[in-house]
């Protein structure tokens, strides 16, 4: 989300005075930088996640000790189920490629400097995100995953949205509708980030409550986790829509408020990423 993305919309309202124009410029700059700041924090948090996934899951694979996966994923490795284990391995290792690829895809200077890379990286990102979501559906409904029905329905909704956003992002790119392509590509990025939002959201919640609240840590079920399974993608997508509307709005107050919201979300994202790194990721490396 930055000033060059699909959510950029021209405004036509005239500025009545030089003072109002200067205030408008300041607020526009603040809004653009608040979004860049959020994006920078999110990318750092996602790279930490990818680093953990590569070292933990990839390390176990390299040592031929897949049973290690079960330390964090109860049905990660199942003896004798070669196809299922391969699917899980594909799902987690593809996550590393997707995470790095997604960060590169949204960097505006890189997109301008290397459009061919943007196209090929985009194709790979879309293909892997869709394939990984389908494997995820298999893991949830056939192989068995932690959590209850509401959580399984929630994450399945995430898979459906990833496929939908991927199809529409590609469709608009091929038709040359770049603004719509960018809009759906941003939605795709946030939907693909749902798994990461879940983890940083859960850790921020646990730290804020000084322990598990609203769910049973043994069964890993409860109202908060059911809520989070939907919120992990619906909330970020809602914020993106609010951002787009604020940016297109003539109201300086609306854009200023959105800039403040983005700063707050940047701080929350940093806190959630730090908590997830300390509690979930680094202890396994
Ligand atoms: C395309 C974006 C996705 C990425 C990048 C991704 C990445 C990951 C990663 C890295 C893990 C290991 C988590 C950890 O060690 O903390 C994981 C686990 C898992 N993912 Fe995904 N995932 C994605 C989408 C999905 C979707 C859409 C579904 C379901 C429809 C899904 C289902 C699962 C399941 C069931 C687990 C195992 C959780 C457990 O039972 O412990 N994933 N995913």
């Amino acid at each position: 989300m930055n000033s060059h993305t699909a959510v950029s919309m021209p405004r036509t309202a005239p500025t009545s005075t030089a003072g109002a124009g200067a205030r408008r410029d300041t607020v526009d700059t603040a809004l653009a930088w608040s979004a860049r700041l959020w994006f920078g924090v999110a990318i750092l948090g996602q790279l930490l996640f990818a680093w953990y996934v590569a070292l933990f899951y990839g390390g176990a694979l390299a040592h031929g000790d897949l049973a290690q996966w079960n330390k964090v994923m109860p049905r990660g490795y199942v003896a004798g189920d070669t196809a299922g284990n391969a699917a899980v391995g594909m799902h987690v290792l593809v996550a590393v490629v997707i995470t790095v690829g997604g960060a590169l895809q949204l960097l505006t200077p890189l997109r301008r400097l290397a459009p061919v890379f943007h196209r090929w990286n985009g194709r790979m990102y879309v293909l892997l995100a869709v394939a990984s979501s389908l494997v995820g559906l298999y893991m949830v409904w056939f192989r068995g995953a932690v959590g209850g029905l509401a959580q399984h329905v929630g994450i399945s909704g995430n898979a459906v949205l990833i496929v939908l956003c991927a199809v529409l992002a590609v469709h608009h790119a091929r038709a040359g509708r770049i603004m719509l392509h960018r809009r759906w590509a941003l939605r795709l990025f946030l939907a693909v980030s749902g798994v990461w939002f879940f983890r940083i959201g859960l850790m921020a919640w646990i730290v804020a409550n000084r322990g598990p609240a609203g769910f049973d840590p043994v069964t890993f079920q409860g109202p908060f986790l059911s809520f989070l399974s939907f919120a992990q993608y619906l909330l970020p997508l809602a914020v993106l829509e609010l951002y787009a509307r604020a940016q297109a709005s003539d109201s300086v107050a609306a854009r200023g408020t959105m800039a403040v919201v983005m700063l707050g979300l940047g701080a929350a994202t940093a806190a959630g990423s730090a908590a997830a790194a300390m509690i979930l990721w680094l202890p396994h490396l």
Side-chain angles (χ1 to χ4, degrees):
M1 285 189 284
N2 63 37
S3 58
H4 304 291
T5 62
V7 288
S8 302
M9 301 276 275
R11 278 183 304 279
T12 50
T15 49
S16 51
T17 65
R23 199 164 58 243
R24 177 184 289 272
D25 286 350
T26 308
V27 169
D28 283 352
T29 307
L31 183 58
W33 278 101
S34 67
R36 286 188 191 123
L37 185 74
W38 179 84
F39 181 64
V41 169
I43 290 306
L44 283 180
Q46 294 200 356
L47 290 179
L48 263 176
F49 182 44
W51 185 51
Y52 144 77
V53 172
L55 289 190
F56 177 73
Y57 291 97
L61 183 65
H63 291 105
D65 185 11
L66 299 189
Q68 286 291 322
W69 291 354
N70 296 2
K71 282 186 176 171
V72 295
M73 199 192 292
R75 287 184 60 78
Y77 170 75
V78 176
D81 181 11
T82 309
N85 296 334
V88 172
M90 177 269 181
H91 185 77
V92 289
L93 296 179
V94 154
V96 179
V97 183
I98 292 180
T99 306
V100 176
L104 294 175
Q105 200 65 357
L106 292 187
L107 288 179
T108 304
L110 186 63
R111 205 161 58 228
R112 292 221 178 101
L113 280 173
V116 175
F117 173 80
H118 180 76
R119 272 200 291 281
W120 281 102
N121 190 44
R123 285 176 187 135
M124 179 204 68
Y125 184 80
V126 160
L127 270 178
L128 292 183
V130 169
S132 192
S133 299
L134 298 179
V135 171
L137 284 174
Y138 155 75
M139 286 161 67
V140 168
W141 295 107
F142 298 103
R143 189 172 164 92
V146 295
L149 181 64
Q151 285 162 257
H152 294 169
V153 172
I155 184 93
S156 299
N158 198 351
V160 171
L161 269 186
I162 288 172
V163 174
L164 179 78
C165 294
V167 167
L168 287 171
V170 171
H171 172 66
H172 290 304
R174 295 183 80 163
R177 291 186 286 267
I178 296 308
M179 292 300 272
L180 280 171
H181 161 64
R182 287 181 181 172
R183 186 165 286 200
W184 283 102
L186 279 177
R187 289 175 181 147
L188 175 62
F189 171 76
L190 292 181
V192 168
S193 305
V195 162
W196 171 78
F197 278 122
F198 182 94
R199 280 154 181 78
I200 68 163
L202 178 57
M203 290 307 120
W205 172 261
I206 288 176
V207 169
N209 286 287
R210 295 163 192 252
F215 72 95
D216 180 342
V218 178
T219 60
F220 205 63
Q221 291 186 39
F224 179 71
L225 291 180
S226 301
F227 161 78
L228 194 57
S229 303
F230 290 89
Q232 67 181 47
Y233 52 98
L234 293 180
L235 270 186
L237 288 170
V239 171
L240 177 64
E241 293 311 311
L242 287 178
Y243 180 89
R245 276 161 203 259
Q247 202 181 34
S249 158
D250 286 330
S251 159
V252 172
R255 298 203 300 287
T257 306
M258 194 68 217
V260 174
V261 168
M262 291 306 296
L263 285 179
L265 290 175
T269 302
S273 300
M278 303 300 290
I279 302 168
L280 278 184
W281 304 330
L282 297 180
H284 290 293
L285 301 184

